[in-house]
Amino acid sequence: VYIIILYRKQISVWEVIFLKKVKIRKAKKQDVDTVAHLIYYTEVKPHDVWGGESKQECLENLKELIKDEESRYSLDYIMVAEVDEKVLGAIVLIPYDELDRLSLETEFKQFKRLDGLLDKLYFIFNEIKYIFLRECRRGDLYIANIATSKEARGLGIGKKLMKYAEQVAKKEEYEGISLLAKDENVTKFYEKLDYNKVFDKVLFGERIIKMVKCF
């Protein structure tokens, strides 16, 4: 199926057939490894976010956070998209009123993992920018991370996950959805879904792009 879709992408009927097979469900314990690998690639500098001297150590730290109920990466906030029982995408949805608490809990856990003074100082410096920027508007649902596997990119799974997030937000009567886009290419994807930039500045050497969609 994947080969046919990629080869004949101009024929939308194949995409329709494929997307009908996509099931979105709550993440489970058996999804931790796959979800960690998906989320890992959503960050430009994953080691600055989750620590670790190697990719494997970084992934192990992330897996622990995904298993932790008091983390912004907890399974409680993750939905996955699967086809034929294979997870091809994931999205992390966090309510506005839980984001600050979960972020502080997560940062504290990460800080405790660090050994050297320089590593701790760099971690603090890296987090300071969020004092000047609230990731999520008051009253919104926050998309913390969204990712699709390499084999499924361009097949509409990311868009399907975004539409699912909107359905959840409307059902739970949120005012809209907030998110951060990591670069211009990602920004264009969100703009096609009617998200607008509300913040686009360089803070402490990193470009921060905040986007929202109001209902």
Side-chain angles (χ1 to χ4, degrees):
V1 175
Y2 305 139
I3 295 174
I4 293 174
I5 296 169
L6 288 170
Y7 182 69
R8 304 187 66 185
K9 188 171 175 56
Q10 69 273 21
I11 303 178
S12 60
V13 66
W14 293 109
E15 291 183 1
V16 172
I17 293 171
F18 175 77
L19 289 174
K20 280 186 177 180
K21 297 179 67 178
V22 177
K23 175 184 176 183
I24 297 179
R25 61 166 174 79
K26 188 174 178 59
K28 303 175 183 177
K29 289 182 179 179
Q30 59 263 37
D31 301 318
V32 169
D33 188 69
T34 302
V35 169
H37 279 80
L38 287 171
I39 293 177
Y40 176 86
Y41 291 104
T42 64
E43 294 290 346
V44 177
K45 298 179 180 179
H47 296 271
D48 289 350
V49 182
W50 300 300
E53 296 297 323
S54 65
K55 177 182 176 180
Q56 190 55 43
E57 284 185 18
C58 187
L59 280 168
E60 290 303 320
N61 290 342
L62 178 53
K63 288 176 191 177
E64 289 303 312
L65 291 172
I66 293 172
K67 296 174 187 176
D68 190 336
E69 293 182 359
E70 296 299 313
S71 157
R72 61 181 282 159
Y73 302 100
S74 169
L75 285 172
D76 291 340
Y77 304 99
I78 299 176
M79 303 298 294
V80 298
E82 68 174 11
V83 175
D84 298 331
E85 300 184 353
K86 183 175 182 179
V87 173
L88 297 176
I91 190 168
V92 184
L93 302 174
I94 305 177
Y96 167 83
D97 55 1
E98 295 182 45
L99 181 59
D100 286 346
R101 175 182 62 82
L102 291 169
S103 295
L104 284 173
E105 290 279 355
T106 304
E107 289 163 8
F108 182 66
K109 291 178 175 67
Q110 291 298 89
F111 187 79
K112 288 198 301 182
R113 285 197 179 103
L114 301 174
D115 295 323
L117 177 60
L118 287 177
D119 288 340
K120 290 186 177 182
L121 288 174
Y122 181 76
F123 181 83
I124 293 171
F125 177 80
N126 195 49
E127 294 300 317
I128 284 177
K129 57 182 173 287
Y130 293 110
I131 295 176
F132 300 94
L133 170 73
R134 295 199 65 84
E135 295 177 76
C136 183
R137 290 191 320 164
R138 183 180 299 275
D140 279 4
L141 181 64
Y142 182 61
I143 297 179
N145 302 83
I146 179 171
T148 57
S149 65
K150 290 182 180 179
E151 66 187 283
R153 285 178 193 162
L155 301 181
I157 288 182
K159 183 176 180 181
K160 193 175 182 74
L161 285 168
M162 292 294 292
K163 291 298 182 183
Y164 174 84
E166 290 181 22
Q167 291 171 8
V168 171
K170 290 176 181 178
K171 181 179 179 181
E172 299 297 326
E173 298 184 345
Y174 288 99
E175 295 176 12
I177 292 179
S178 294
L179 55 85
L180 297 183
K182 66 180 181 180
D183 57 41
E184 203 62 40
N185 288 332
V186 177
T187 299
K188 291 177 182 177
F189 167 73
Y190 293 130
E191 286 176 337
K192 289 178 181 179
L193 299 176
D194 298 323
Y195 283 76
N196 298 304
K197 287 182 185 179
V198 294
F199 186 94
D200 186 357
K201 293 182 180 180
V202 175
L203 294 178
F204 298 94
E206 181 182 354
R207 184 183 180 189
I208 306 293
I209 306 171
K210 181 178 176 180
M211 305 186 73
V212 301
K213 183 172 184 176
C214 303
F215 300 144

